[in-house]
Amino acid sequence: QGINAEYGGTLPSPLLFGLILDSMCEVWRTTKDGTVGNCWIYDIDKLMQYFVLTQVAMKLCSCVFIWLSWFWFPRQPEFTIPSVESIELTGVNGEDKSLSD
């Protein structure tokens, strides 16, 4: 379950930013046989705007999910350590023992 959450949280981000990078390319390198290579020129202004807007949207989504988890799931009761006087001791055969023995 932890691995699924890790992949679900880390895998979409590089794919999304790669999609943004590819969509902002103005000039692609092509070879003589027509295969497309890497990008040579990007529209820097649009690229910067899309990156910032994407990061802001992701931060807002994470804040919403944190708020929903805080609101939706109840708080766990605080753990208290019992005092020494409230602990009942029993011996091996089940007889009661006191701390003064």
mmCIF file with all atom_site columns, all heavy atoms in Angstrom, residues 67-79:
data_model
loop_
_atom_site.group_PDB
_atom_site.id
_atom_site.type_symbol
_atom_site.label_atom_id
_atom_site.label_alt_id
_atom_site.label_comp_id
_atom_site.label_asym_id
_atom_site.label_entity_id
_atom_site.label_seq_id
_atom_site.pdbx_PDB_ins_code
_atom_site.Cartn_x
_atom_site.Cartn_y
_atom_site.Cartn_z
_atom_site.occupancy
_atom_site.B_iso_or_equiv
_atom_site.pdbx_formal_charge
_atom_site.auth_seq_id
_atom_site.auth_comp_id
_atom_site.auth_asym_id
_atom_site.auth_atom_id
_atom_site.pdbx_PDB_model_num
ATOM 1   N N   . TRP A 1 67 ? -6.677  19.574 4.330  1.00 0.00 ? 67 TRP A N   1
ATOM 2   C CA  . TRP A 1 67 ? -7.811  20.080 5.086  1.00 0.00 ? 67 TRP A CA  1
ATOM 3   C C   . TRP A 1 67 ? -8.923  19.034 5.155  1.00 0.00 ? 67 TRP A C   1
ATOM 4   O O   . TRP A 1 67 ? -9.532  18.840 6.208  1.00 0.00 ? 67 TRP A O   1
ATOM 5   C CB  . TRP A 1 67 ? -8.342  21.366 4.460  1.00 0.00 ? 67 TRP A CB  1
ATOM 6   C CG  . TRP A 1 67 ? -9.471  21.934 5.245  1.00 0.00 ? 67 TRP A CG  1
ATOM 7   C CD1 . TRP A 1 67 ? -9.397  22.667 6.382  1.00 0.00 ? 67 TRP A CD1 1
ATOM 8   C CD2 . TRP A 1 67 ? -10.868 21.759 4.968  1.00 0.00 ? 67 TRP A CD2 1
ATOM 9   N NE1 . TRP A 1 67 ? -10.656 22.984 6.823  1.00 0.00 ? 67 TRP A NE1 1
ATOM 10  C CE2 . TRP A 1 67 ? -11.585 22.433 5.966  1.00 0.00 ? 67 TRP A CE2 1
ATOM 11  C CE3 . TRP A 1 67 ? -11.562 21.115 3.961  1.00 0.00 ? 67 TRP A CE3 1
ATOM 12  C CZ2 . TRP A 1 67 ? -12.968 22.474 5.992  1.00 0.00 ? 67 TRP A CZ2 1
ATOM 13  C CZ3 . TRP A 1 67 ? -12.940 21.157 3.995  1.00 0.00 ? 67 TRP A CZ3 1
ATOM 14  C CH2 . TRP A 1 67 ? -13.635 21.833 4.998  1.00 0.00 ? 67 TRP A CH2 1
ATOM 15  N N   . LEU A 1 68 ? -9.197  18.357 4.035  1.00 0.00 ? 68 LEU A N   1
ATOM 16  C CA  . LEU A 1 68 ? -10.231 17.322 4.037  1.00 0.00 ? 68 LEU A CA  1
ATOM 17  C C   . LEU A 1 68 ? -9.883  16.172 4.974  1.00 0.00 ? 68 LEU A C   1
ATOM 18  O O   . LEU A 1 68 ? -10.748 15.654 5.682  1.00 0.00 ? 68 LEU A O   1
ATOM 19  C CB  . LEU A 1 68 ? -10.451 16.792 2.621  1.00 0.00 ? 68 LEU A CB  1
ATOM 20  C CG  . LEU A 1 68 ? -11.236 17.684 1.674  1.00 0.00 ? 68 LEU A CG  1
ATOM 21  C CD1 . LEU A 1 68 ? -11.246 17.097 0.275  1.00 0.00 ? 68 LEU A CD1 1
ATOM 22  C CD2 . LEU A 1 68 ? -12.643 17.902 2.184  1.00 0.00 ? 68 LEU A CD2 1
ATOM 23  N N   . SER A 1 69 ? -8.619  15.776 4.992  1.00 0.00 ? 69 SER A N   1
ATOM 24  C CA  . SER A 1 69 ? -8.235  14.690 5.905  1.00 0.00 ? 69 SER A CA  1
ATOM 25  C C   . SER A 1 69 ? -8.320  15.146 7.357  1.00 0.00 ? 69 SER A C   1
ATOM 26  O O   . SER A 1 69 ? -8.703  14.377 8.227  1.00 0.00 ? 69 SER A O   1
ATOM 27  C CB  . SER A 1 69 ? -6.831  14.193 5.583  1.00 0.00 ? 69 SER A CB  1
ATOM 28  O OG  . SER A 1 69 ? -5.879  15.191 5.861  1.00 0.00 ? 69 SER A OG  1
ATOM 29  N N   . TRP A 1 70 ? -7.996  16.393 7.630  1.00 0.00 ? 70 TRP A N   1
ATOM 30  C CA  . TRP A 1 70 ? -8.109  16.909 8.994  1.00 0.00 ? 70 TRP A CA  1
ATOM 31  C C   . TRP A 1 70 ? -9.572  16.984 9.407  1.00 0.00 ? 70 TRP A C   1
ATOM 32  O O   . TRP A 1 70 ? -9.933  16.673 10.533 1.00 0.00 ? 70 TRP A O   1
ATOM 33  C CB  . TRP A 1 70 ? -7.463  18.292 9.073  1.00 0.00 ? 70 TRP A CB  1
ATOM 34  C CG  . TRP A 1 70 ? -7.612  18.941 10.411 1.00 0.00 ? 70 TRP A CG  1
ATOM 35  C CD1 . TRP A 1 70 ? -6.894  18.673 11.537 1.00 0.00 ? 70 TRP A CD1 1
ATOM 36  C CD2 . TRP A 1 70 ? -8.546  19.953 10.766 1.00 0.00 ? 70 TRP A CD2 1
ATOM 37  N NE1 . TRP A 1 70 ? -7.326  19.466 12.564 1.00 0.00 ? 70 TRP A NE1 1
ATOM 38  C CE2 . TRP A 1 70 ? -8.338  20.274 12.111 1.00 0.00 ? 70 TRP A CE2 1
ATOM 39  C CE3 . TRP A 1 70 ? -9.528  20.634 10.058 1.00 0.00 ? 70 TRP A CE3 1
ATOM 40  C CZ2 . TRP A 1 70 ? -9.092  21.225 12.774 1.00 0.00 ? 70 TRP A CZ2 1
ATOM 41  C CZ3 . TRP A 1 70 ? -10.276 21.595 10.726 1.00 0.00 ? 70 TRP A CZ3 1
ATOM 42  C CH2 . TRP A 1 70 ? -10.046 21.873 12.065 1.00 0.00 ? 70 TRP A CH2 1
ATOM 43  N N   . PHE A 1 71 ? -10.443 17.384 8.480  1.00 0.00 ? 71 PHE A N   1
ATOM 44  C CA  . PHE A 1 71 ? -11.858 17.524 8.763  1.00 0.00 ? 71 PHE A CA  1
ATOM 45  C C   . PHE A 1 71 ? -12.569 16.180 8.814  1.00 0.00 ? 71 PHE A C   1
ATOM 46  O O   . PHE A 1 71 ? -13.422 15.941 9.662  1.00 0.00 ? 71 PHE A O   1
ATOM 47  C CB  . PHE A 1 71 ? -12.499 18.417 7.690  1.00 0.00 ? 71 PHE A CB  1
ATOM 48  C CG  . PHE A 1 71 ? -13.973 18.598 7.848  1.00 0.00 ? 71 PHE A CG  1
ATOM 49  C CD1 . PHE A 1 71 ? -14.459 19.433 8.831  1.00 0.00 ? 71 PHE A CD1 1
ATOM 50  C CD2 . PHE A 1 71 ? -14.857 17.944 7.014  1.00 0.00 ? 71 PHE A CD2 1
ATOM 51  C CE1 . PHE A 1 71 ? -15.826 19.601 8.984  1.00 0.00 ? 71 PHE A CE1 1
ATOM 52  C CE2 . PHE A 1 71 ? -16.214 18.103 7.155  1.00 0.00 ? 71 PHE A CE2 1
ATOM 53  C CZ  . PHE A 1 71 ? -16.701 18.936 8.145  1.00 0.00 ? 71 PHE A CZ  1
ATOM 54  N N   . TRP A 1 72 ? -12.211 15.292 7.905  1.00 0.00 ? 72 TRP A N   1
ATOM 55  C CA  . TRP A 1 72 ? -12.947 14.040 7.740  1.00 0.00 ? 72 TRP A CA  1
ATOM 56  C C   . TRP A 1 72 ? -12.598 12.998 8.801  1.00 0.00 ? 72 TRP A C   1
ATOM 57  O O   . TRP A 1 72 ? -13.464 12.309 9.321  1.00 0.00 ? 72 TRP A O   1
ATOM 58  C CB  . TRP A 1 72 ? -12.660 13.489 6.350  1.00 0.00 ? 72 TRP A CB  1
ATOM 59  C CG  . TRP A 1 72 ? -13.608 12.406 5.939  1.00 0.00 ? 72 TRP A CG  1
ATOM 60  C CD1 . TRP A 1 72 ? -13.417 11.078 6.058  1.00 0.00 ? 72 TRP A CD1 1
ATOM 61  C CD2 . TRP A 1 72 ? -14.897 12.565 5.356  1.00 0.00 ? 72 TRP A CD2 1
ATOM 62  N NE1 . TRP A 1 72 ? -14.490 10.388 5.575  1.00 0.00 ? 72 TRP A NE1 1
ATOM 63  C CE2 . TRP A 1 72 ? -15.424 11.285 5.142  1.00 0.00 ? 72 TRP A CE2 1
ATOM 64  C CE3 . TRP A 1 72 ? -15.643 13.661 4.994  1.00 0.00 ? 72 TRP A CE3 1
ATOM 65  C CZ2 . TRP A 1 72 ? -16.673 11.085 4.583  1.00 0.00 ? 72 TRP A CZ2 1
ATOM 66  C CZ3 . TRP A 1 72 ? -16.889 13.453 4.427  1.00 0.00 ? 72 TRP A CZ3 1
ATOM 67  C CH2 . TRP A 1 72 ? -17.383 12.182 4.238  1.00 0.00 ? 72 TRP A CH2 1
ATOM 68  N N   . PHE A 1 73 ? -11.312 12.844 9.120  1.00 0.00 ? 73 PHE A N   1
ATOM 69  C CA  . PHE A 1 73 ? -10.894 11.811 10.047 1.00 0.00 ? 73 PHE A CA  1
ATOM 70  C C   . PHE A 1 73 ? -10.830 12.372 11.457 1.00 0.00 ? 73 PHE A C   1
ATOM 71  O O   . PHE A 1 73 ? -10.218 13.412 11.682 1.00 0.00 ? 73 PHE A O   1
ATOM 72  C CB  . PHE A 1 73 ? -9.533  11.239 9.652  1.00 0.00 ? 73 PHE A CB  1
ATOM 73  C CG  . PHE A 1 73 ? -9.561  10.555 8.319  1.00 0.00 ? 73 PHE A CG  1
ATOM 74  C CD1 . PHE A 1 73 ? -8.946  11.122 7.220  1.00 0.00 ? 73 PHE A CD1 1
ATOM 75  C CD2 . PHE A 1 73 ? -10.224 9.361  8.158  1.00 0.00 ? 73 PHE A CD2 1
ATOM 76  C CE1 . PHE A 1 73 ? -8.984  10.513 5.988  1.00 0.00 ? 73 PHE A CE1 1
ATOM 77  C CE2 . PHE A 1 73 ? -10.275 8.733  6.933  1.00 0.00 ? 73 PHE A CE2 1
ATOM 78  C CZ  . PHE A 1 73 ? -9.654  9.308  5.842  1.00 0.00 ? 73 PHE A CZ  1
ATOM 79  N N   . PRO A 1 74 ? -11.455 11.671 12.418 1.00 0.00 ? 74 PRO A N   1
ATOM 80  C CA  . PRO A 1 74 ? -11.461 12.199 13.794 1.00 0.00 ? 74 PRO A CA  1
ATOM 81  C C   . PRO A 1 74 ? -10.082 12.110 14.431 1.00 0.00 ? 74 PRO A C   1
ATOM 82  O O   . PRO A 1 74 ? -9.251  11.291 14.053 1.00 0.00 ? 74 PRO A O   1
ATOM 83  C CB  . PRO A 1 74 ? -12.466 11.290 14.510 1.00 0.00 ? 74 PRO A CB  1
ATOM 84  C CG  . PRO A 1 74 ? -12.439 10.017 13.736 1.00 0.00 ? 74 PRO A CG  1
ATOM 85  C CD  . PRO A 1 74 ? -12.157 10.401 12.308 1.00 0.00 ? 74 PRO A CD  1
ATOM 86  N N   . ARG A 1 75 ? -9.856  12.975 15.402 1.00 0.00 ? 75 ARG A N   1
ATOM 87  C CA  . ARG A 1 75 ? -8.593  12.944 16.138 1.00 0.00 ? 75 ARG A CA  1
ATOM 88  C C   . ARG A 1 75 ? -8.566  11.720 17.035 1.00 0.00 ? 75 ARG A C   1
ATOM 89  O O   . ARG A 1 75 ? -9.578  11.299 17.593 1.00 0.00 ? 75 ARG A O   1
ATOM 90  C CB  . ARG A 1 75 ? -8.439  14.187 16.992 1.00 0.00 ? 75 ARG A CB  1
ATOM 91  C CG  . ARG A 1 75 ? -8.309  15.439 16.175 1.00 0.00 ? 75 ARG A CG  1
ATOM 92  C CD  . ARG A 1 75 ? -8.058  16.572 17.069 1.00 0.00 ? 75 ARG A CD  1
ATOM 93  N NE  . ARG A 1 75 ? -6.644  16.891 16.929 1.00 0.00 ? 75 ARG A NE  1
ATOM 94  C CZ  . ARG A 1 75 ? -6.058  17.894 17.501 1.00 0.00 ? 75 ARG A CZ  1
ATOM 95  N NH1 . ARG A 1 75 ? -6.742  18.675 18.292 1.00 0.00 ? 75 ARG A NH1 1
ATOM 96  N NH2 . ARG A 1 75 ? -4.788  18.138 17.305 1.00 0.00 ? 75 ARG A NH2 1
ATOM 97  N N   . GLN A 1 76 ? -7.401  11.169 17.181 1.00 0.00 ? 76 GLN A N   1
ATOM 98  C CA  . GLN A 1 76 ? -7.218  10.034 18.071 1.00 0.00 ? 76 GLN A CA  1
ATOM 99  C C   . GLN A 1 76 ? -7.134  10.545 19.505 1.00 0.00 ? 76 GLN A C   1
ATOM 100 O O   . GLN A 1 76 ? -6.580  11.605 19.749 1.00 0.00 ? 76 GLN A O   1
ATOM 101 C CB  . GLN A 1 76 ? -5.937  9.280  17.704 1.00 0.00 ? 76 GLN A CB  1
ATOM 102 C CG  . GLN A 1 76 ? -5.952  8.698  16.307 1.00 0.00 ? 76 GLN A CG  1
ATOM 103 C CD  . GLN A 1 76 ? -7.003  7.610  16.152 1.00 0.00 ? 76 GLN A CD  1
ATOM 104 O OE1 . GLN A 1 76 ? -7.246  6.836  17.055 1.00 0.00 ? 76 GLN A OE1 1
ATOM 105 N NE2 . GLN A 1 76 ? -7.642  7.584  14.998 1.00 0.00 ? 76 GLN A NE2 1
ATOM 106 N N   . PRO A 1 77 ? -7.674  9.793  20.480 1.00 0.00 ? 77 PRO A N   1
ATOM 107 C CA  . PRO A 1 77 ? -7.553  10.247 21.864 1.00 0.00 ? 77 PRO A CA  1
ATOM 108 C C   . PRO A 1 77 ? -6.092  10.258 22.291 1.00 0.00 ? 77 PRO A C   1
ATOM 109 O O   . PRO A 1 77 ? -5.288  9.448  21.830 1.00 0.00 ? 77 PRO A O   1
ATOM 110 C CB  . PRO A 1 77 ? -8.360  9.223  22.666 1.00 0.00 ? 77 PRO A CB  1
ATOM 111 C CG  . PRO A 1 77 ? -8.475  8.036  21.775 1.00 0.00 ? 77 PRO A CG  1
ATOM 112 C CD  . PRO A 1 77 ? -8.379  8.541  20.357 1.00 0.00 ? 77 PRO A CD  1
ATOM 113 N N   . GLU A 1 78 ? -5.781  11.219 23.144 1.00 0.00 ? 78 GLU A N   1
ATOM 114 C CA  . GLU A 1 78 ? -4.407  11.329 23.599 1.00 0.00 ? 78 GLU A CA  1
ATOM 115 C C   . GLU A 1 78 ? -4.056  10.153 24.506 1.00 0.00 ? 78 GLU A C   1
ATOM 116 O O   . GLU A 1 78 ? -4.865  9.689  25.298 1.00 0.00 ? 78 GLU A O   1
ATOM 117 C CB  . GLU A 1 78 ? -4.197  12.639 24.345 1.00 0.00 ? 78 GLU A CB  1
ATOM 118 C CG  . GLU A 1 78 ? -4.284  13.844 23.440 1.00 0.00 ? 78 GLU A CG  1
ATOM 119 C CD  . GLU A 1 78 ? -3.968  15.121 24.185 1.00 0.00 ? 78 GLU A CD  1
ATOM 120 O OE1 . GLU A 1 78 ? -3.310  15.043 25.236 1.00 0.00 ? 78 GLU A OE1 1
ATOM 121 O OE2 . GLU A 1 78 ? -4.391  16.171 23.711 1.00 0.00 ? 78 GLU A OE2 1
ATOM 122 N N   . PHE A 1 79 ? -2.839  9.689  24.372 1.00 0.00 ? 79 PHE A N   1
ATOM 123 C CA  . PHE A 1 79 ? -2.359  8.575  25.179 1.00 0.00 ? 79 PHE A CA  1
ATOM 124 C C   . PHE A 1 79 ? -1.878  9.115  26.516 1.00 0.00 ? 79 PHE A C   1
ATOM 125 O O   . PHE A 1 79 ? -1.096  10.054 26.572 1.00 0.00 ? 79 PHE A O   1
ATOM 126 C CB  . PHE A 1 79 ? -1.207  7.857  24.462 1.00 0.00 ? 79 PHE A CB  1
ATOM 127 C CG  . PHE A 1 79 ? -0.641  6.710  25.241 1.00 0.00 ? 79 PHE A CG  1
ATOM 128 C CD1 . PHE A 1 79 ? -1.335  5.528  25.337 1.00 0.00 ? 79 PHE A CD1 1
ATOM 129 C CD2 . PHE A 1 79 ? 0.570   6.842  25.897 1.00 0.00 ? 79 PHE A CD2 1
ATOM 130 C CE1 . PHE A 1 79 ? -0.817  4.470  26.056 1.00 0.00 ? 79 PHE A CE1 1
ATOM 131 C CE2 . PHE A 1 79 ? 1.096   5.795  26.616 1.00 0.00 ? 79 PHE A CE2 1
ATOM 132 C CZ  . PHE A 1 79 ? 0.394   4.599  26.694 1.00 0.00 ? 79 PHE A CZ  1
#
